[in-house]
Amino acid sequence: MIFPLHDIKPCDFALPSRVGGAFARAIWCIFLSSGGLALADCQGQSHSESEELLWRNRLELVGAETDRELHENLHGAMVQPGRSFKLRNRMQVIDTLQTQKTVRHMEARLSERGYFNAHVQTIWSRNEKNKSTHVEQTFFVRTGPRWRWSRLECLSDSAGFEGAGVLTELNLGVGDHVDLERLEHFRQTWSAARQSEGYLGLLSEHVSYAIDTLAGIHRASLQLLIRPALDGPHRPAVIREIQLNTEGIDPDVASSMLRVELGQPHSPKLVELTYRRLTQLPAAGRVDIQVEQILGQRDTAASSVAPNTLLERPVKLTFTVHPRQRFEWGYRTGLVSQQGLGAEGAIRFSDHNSRAKSERLQLELEASVNSIPAQINEDGQQQQSTIFNAFSYGPHLKWRMDRLLPFKPARFPRSNEPLSQLELAWSQEHRPDFDRRIAQMSLVERFTESEHRRSKIQLRPLDLSFARIELTPQGEAFLNGISSLLVRNAYTSHAIFASGASWSLAPNMGEQAELNIRLGASSGGHLLSALIAPGDSVAWVGGGTGGSGGTDELGAQAVPISRFVKMHFEVVAGWIPAWATSSRRTTVQGTSARGVSAHLRLVAAVGHSTAPGLPMPLERMELAGGPNSMRGWLAQSLGPGGFDKSISGEIYARGDMRLEANAELRIQLNKSWSIAGFTDAGNVWMTTPDALRPNADFQWDRFASEIAISAGVGLRFDFEYFMVRIDAGHPVRYPVAEGGSNWRWGDEGWSIHPAVALPF
């Protein structure tokens, strides 16, 4: 670092007045030699111990003012910009070693950009406008001319590559500016590209370059060198043998996980995919991979060439799968946010190698508590206490297989990554307005449709559930005051015999953007109702209230079969603007030390009951409001449509159809804390007109006027393994007009939503 003492004003670095003469000069030299500068009084100004000085960095760039990228690069090399500090004992030490480090970083970055004659100079001074509070460090950068290439050469014949082809990939020409960062990037990307082509062992260390700066005035010549392997030119590795070692795991199941095949070039990506798939086997513990060259073999295509020349490098891949402990038990706990803040837990018993087929059989004993807002009490008024006022419990049995039922693992291509899961569950749920028992059985089959597009298909060929609902006195009092048959029938016992399918797409959008698209459809009850058309019901043994068909002498209750069709479409997108990214910030999907990102979600869902006089099943209906939807309202308190619920005394609001858009601007303050500003727009509607609930159904000519809008802010804390957030939303536009306008602010207060995880 060049530190011009003749540019430093005596008043800028004056030692205390009681120190003088040779002793003062000795103290000055000690501070300089130890990497410290002493700041004290200037021109007799006094400083209290609580006074703060602001250390400001300023950059003056001479010779490359138009190089904006260089200007930002040098700003990033500054150490401790904008640091504030306090004076203690009328003297503060500023570490000049940090200044020297900054200068070295700047000069290195200038050289990387081709400014080989650059010169960095620093000066400390007090701010003339406010001498008592500001100290300014100015970096004067004289870049000089930027050097250019005068000659390009590549020596790679001994390594098995053509020099002209390598220079073509480098994409440099005579007269281009010198850019060492570009050369370093080429070393990494070129070697990685060759490895993906099967050149096993070709690393970035095999690529080097030499620069001659004596090629002319401000001209340099480049010599790129590709070093050969230890045994001669680099050759593509071809897989000639695959060995799979399994202990206690069905070889057919394990081999279905392999993504490499005989005769294909060695690909690190496919080997990594194979490793990932093998580790996903329920019975797999640790997976070891060994790659070794097969000596004495050579390709048949090489028989016509020189004896010591091989066109390929034959290799053998060995995968060793070590089994995990077969029987295990564990537990899980966590916070959840559905309609309000809640918690859940489960005790888990697992068999990771069921039927010796690496199939996981798992039994979970689950329990949860939730907060259900907007309840009613015995007097028909809104219940005030909503914290942990609902709970549920029950067993859940899962059977997971890495294949599609009823086919064998080898039936589909390995790239499809098939997965099937059969589930049986029973739960008892208690809420302030009703008790519900649900018995469920479902089969989910999922596979990858296209690796390139990153699209997946999920099938639900079997989705059965029986729901028995028993109203509490509060619930009966509430429903007795409602004349709408659709609302009353929503709280009756029912059976669902459904099936469905969904398609999801998550294309690679780069590090600064993400996009997820999901399209699903389901239908229930039509086939079974056609088979047992006379009563449109099935028997639920156990009797009780809440059904619509009564009970017989054995206590079997007739439960109506729900018939419905439903479609769901959802788009989630995220984006980090270029100005908000730096080397200290990560991608839109991950947590960053500092950054800004924008996120958007669009949802369109519509369902319709095809059973006369019966609504959609309660658990298949749509709701708006709450921590993950329209955050200006509590859960189930918005809609349906433009219906004024105060007319009928309804508090709950569900619908057959939902349109919603959510937008968030998230600002990462540090690794743990972040804030967000958001706005939500949408509503729910019924698809069946009801004369007792005017404007509750969806109509094209008025749905736009029934869109509700809310806005708010949120605070989030990331514990790395889960995130806790508090969002506060306020309605801005209401679906029901008052005084001739839907836009109003003061009708309702803020809705506070504590929740876990991001809303989308």
Side-chain angles (χ1 to χ4, degrees):
M1 177 188 68
I2 298 177
F3 200 95
L5 295 180
H6 61 273
D7 288 335
I8 302 178
K9 301 178 182 179
C11 66
D12 292 338
F13 299 101
L15 292 171
S17 58
R18 65 177 181 271
V19 182
F23 181 71
R25 287 192 295 272
I27 295 295
W28 173 257
C29 294
I30 290 174
F31 273 110
L32 284 179
S33 61
S34 63
L37 283 178
L39 293 183
D41 297 354
C42 283
Q43 298 179 355
Q45 299 169 357
S46 61
H47 301 272
S48 65
E49 292 191 7
S50 62
E51 181 181 359
E52 291 192 3
L53 296 179
L54 182 63
W55 176 351
R56 288 182 173 176
N57 285 334
R58 186 164 63 91
L59 176 65
E60 290 193 7
L61 190 61
V62 180
E65 294 85 352
T66 59
D67 196 339
R68 181 178 178 182
E69 183 179 352
L70 175 64
H71 201 277
E72 295 177 354
N73 208 340
L74 294 180
H75 265 292
M78 289 184 178
V79 179
Q80 297 175 321
R83 175 189 174 189
S84 63
F85 54 91
K86 294 183 178 181
L87 286 175
R88 292 184 175 88
N89 300 325
R90 304 179 66 190
M91 183 178 296
Q92 171 69 34
V93 176
I94 296 180
D95 191 0
T96 57
L97 292 179
Q98 297 288 356
T99 301
Q100 295 176 14
K101 186 184 298 185
T102 299
V103 171
R104 296 295 177 262
H105 287 174
M106 285 186 173
E107 291 177 344
R109 296 192 180 190
L110 287 165
S111 296
E112 290 174 354
R113 296 281 293 172
Y115 296 97
F116 295 143
N117 302 112
H119 186 63
V120 182
Q121 199 172 21
T122 61
I123 292 180
W124 287 89
S125 63
R126 282 202 181 263
N127 192 294
E128 298 296 334
K129 295 181 180 180
N130 195 346
K131 295 183 179 181
S132 63
T133 58
H134 294 99
V135 174
E136 193 169 68
Q137 179 179 213
T138 303
F139 293 88
F140 290 97
V141 180
R142 295 176 174 85
T143 62
R146 189 175 183 183
W147 289 50
R148 297 178 180 271
W149 297 117
S150 62
R151 187 170 63 91
L152 303 173
E153 182 183 9
C154 179
L155 303 179
S156 60
D157 293 341
S158 61
F161 300 97
E162 294 185 0
V166 176
L167 290 178
T168 301
E169 293 187 60
L170 179 59
N171 195 23
L172 275 181
V174 174
D176 290 347
H177 285 120
V178 173
D179 191 342
L180 303 187
E181 289 184 354
R182 185 173 179 178
L183 291 178
E184 287 296 323
H185 179 71
F186 173 77
R187 291 178 62 240
Q188 303 294 332
T189 57
W190 188 85
S191 58
R194 300 294 80 76
Q195 289 184 29
S196 64
E197 295 174 357
Y199 286 87
L200 183 64
L202 198 161
L203 307 175
S204 59
E205 286 75 9
H206 288 94
V207 184
S208 61
Y209 56 86
I211 299 176
D212 182 8
T213 58
L214 302 178
I217 301 177
H218 305 140
R219 293 292 185 270
S221 62
L222 172 67
Q223 186 180 79
L224 195 64
L225 175 63
I226 312 296
R227 293 187 176 91
L230 295 177
D231 57 350
H234 294 282
R235 292 164 291 162
V238 178
I239 301 174
R240 292 304 179 189
E241 188 175 344
I242 299 176
Q243 182 176 342
L244 180 61
N245 301 324
T246 60
E247 302 176 17
I249 301 176
D250 189 346
D252 293 338
V253 176
S255 61
S256 67
M257 302 291 107
L258 297 179
R259 298 300 306 276
V260 293
E261 297 179 1
L262 293 176
Q264 67 179 191
H266 176 273
S267 171
K269 180 180 178 181
L270 293 179
V271 173
E272 181 183 356
L273 287 175
T274 300
Y275 172 81
R276 179 172 58 86
R277 290 287 291 162
L278 288 173
T279 55
Q280 289 176 353
L281 283 172
R286 190 181 80 251
V287 177
D288 297 330
I289 302 176
Q290 184 178 0
V291 183
E292 55 185 333
Q293 183 176 350
I294 302 176
L295 301 178
Q297 270 195 29
R298 73 178 188 182
D299 188 34
T300 55
S303 58
S304 59
V305 298
N308 295 328
T309 303
L310 297 178
L311 297 182
E312 68 172 33
R313 189 186 302 273
V315 296
K316 174 185 177 182
L317 294 181
T318 303
F319 298 93
T320 303
V321 183
H322 301 275
R324 65 185 299 178
Q325 183 178 344
R326 177 172 177 177
F327 299 101
E328 289 183 344
W329 77 276
Y331 67 92
R332 59 176 175 86
T333 59
L335 299 175
V336 296
S337 56
Q338 297 175 354
Q339 300 178 31
L341 185 63
E344 67 177 9
I347 300 177
R348 180 175 59 248
F349 303 91
S350 303
D351 178 4
H352 298 294
N353 197 12
S354 176
R355 303 191 312 127
K357 297 289 187 180
S358 190
E359 299 172 350
R360 177 180 290 135
L361 186 63
Q362 182 172 287
L363 174 64
E364 288 189 349
L365 304 179
E366 302 173 330
S368 66
V369 292
N370 284 283
S371 302
I372 307 297
Q375 304 296 336
I376 57 176
N377 55 29
E378 295 181 357
D379 299 327
Q381 302 296 323
Q382 183 171 352
Q383 181 175 324
Q384 298 299 322
S385 177
T386 62
I387 302 299
F388 301 147
N389 57 356
F391 64 87
S392 64
Y393 59 88
H396 192 175
L397 183 65
K398 303 177 183 178
W399 184 20
R400 174 186 179 264
M401 298 148 281
D402 289 291
R403 58 191 177 98
L404 296 183
L405 291 178
F407 305 102
K408 294 183 178 180
R411 176 63 178 81
F412 292 91
R414 297 168 182 174
S415 59
N416 287 142
E417 300 185 357
L419 175 68
S420 297
Q421 183 160 295
L422 182 64
E423 300 184 25
L424 298 173
W426 179 89
S427 65
Q428 172 73 50
E429 181 181 2
H430 172 75
R431 297 166 59 115
D433 49 346
F434 62 83
D435 292 338
R436 178 166 57 181
R437 300 177 189 175
I438 301 179
Q440 294 177 297
M441 182 174 69
S442 64
L443 173 61
V444 179
E445 298 187 310
R446 183 174 64 248
F447 60 93
T448 300
E449 179 202 18
S450 171
E451 280 187 305
H452 178 69
R453 294 195 305 265
R454 299 174 64 182
S455 59
K456 295 184 177 181
I457 293 178
Q458 178 174 293
L459 304 176
R460 279 185 171 267
L462 186 65
D463 190 359
L464 313 180
S465 68
F466 295 85
R468 174 186 174 187
I469 299 177
E470 298 180 355
L471 296 174
T472 62
Q474 297 94 318
E476 289 185 354
F478 167 64
L479 288 180
N480 288 336
I482 295 178
S483 55
S484 174
L485 183 61
L486 284 175
V487 176
R488 294 175 60 86
N489 286 340
Y491 293 89
T492 60
S493 301
H494 55 270
I496 298 177
F497 294 82
S499 59
S502 64
W503 175 80
S504 61
L505 175 67
N508 187 2
M509 306 295 292
E511 294 185 350
Q512 291 184 229
E514 65 174 346
L515 177 65
N516 292 278
I517 302 174
R518 183 176 179 272
L519 177 64
S522 60
S523 174
H526 299 92
L527 178 60
L528 190 62
S529 294
L531 298 177
I532 56 174
D536 280 342
S537 62
V538 293
W540 173 285
V541 178
T545 60
S548 60
T551 60
D552 59 18
E553 62 277 5
L554 297 178
Q557 179 183 352
V559 178
I561 300 173
S562 298
R563 298 204 305 265
F564 66 92
V565 291
K566 186 174 181 179
M567 295 192 66
H568 182 93
F569 176 74
E570 182 175 0
V571 177
V572 177
W575 174 65
I576 292 183
W579 55 266
T581 60
S582 72
S583 59
R584 297 183 59 191
R585 298 163 189 165
T586 56
T587 64
V588 68
Q589 295 89 351
T591 302
S592 59
R594 189 185 305 167
V596 179
S597 60
H599 301 263
L600 175 68
R601 178 178 67 175
L602 302 176
V603 179
V606 57
H608 181 68
S609 174
T610 58
L614 291 178
M616 289 274 294
L618 186 65
E619 55 268 26
R620 301 299 176 100
M621 297 180 75
E622 298 289 328
L623 59 89
N628 301 318
S629 181
M630 302 289 297
R631 284 163 282 186
W633 288 265
L634 297 177
Q636 303 187 72
S637 62
L638 176 63
F643 172 59
D644 187 356
K645 294 188 294 296
S646 62
I647 299 176
S648 62
E650 296 181 37
I651 297 176
Y652 301 109
R654 290 179 180 253
D656 303 330
M657 177 179 180
R658 176 164 68 111
L659 297 177
E660 187 174 324
N662 314 93
E664 277 197 356
L665 182 65
R666 300 170 187 169
I667 303 176
Q668 197 77 30
L669 302 179
N670 52 45
K671 188 175 181 180
S672 299
W673 290 97
S674 62
I675 58 176
F678 60 83
T679 182
D680 307 314
N683 203 345
V684 295
W685 292 266
M686 303 298 294
T687 56
T688 303
D690 189 349
L692 299 176
R693 305 172 81 201
N695 299 328
D697 60 316
F698 180 86
Q699 296 294 333
W700 286 102
D701 57 348
R702 56 174 168 81
F703 89 94
S705 63
E706 296 169 352
I707 294 292
I709 300 176
S710 63
V713 294
L715 178 66
R716 288 88 190 268
F717 185 81
D718 190 358
F719 288 93
E720 294 186 356
Y721 50 92
F722 74 95
M723 174 182 288
V724 175
R725 63 182 169 95
I726 298 179
D727 290 346
H730 197 289
V732 176
R733 189 182 192 277
Y734 291 80
V736 180
E738 289 186 7
S741 176
N742 297 76
W743 299 89
R744 49 189 188 275
W745 177 264
D747 286 13
E748 299 181 17
W750 291 84
S751 295
I752 308 300
H753 304 283
V756 181
L758 293 171
F760 56 89

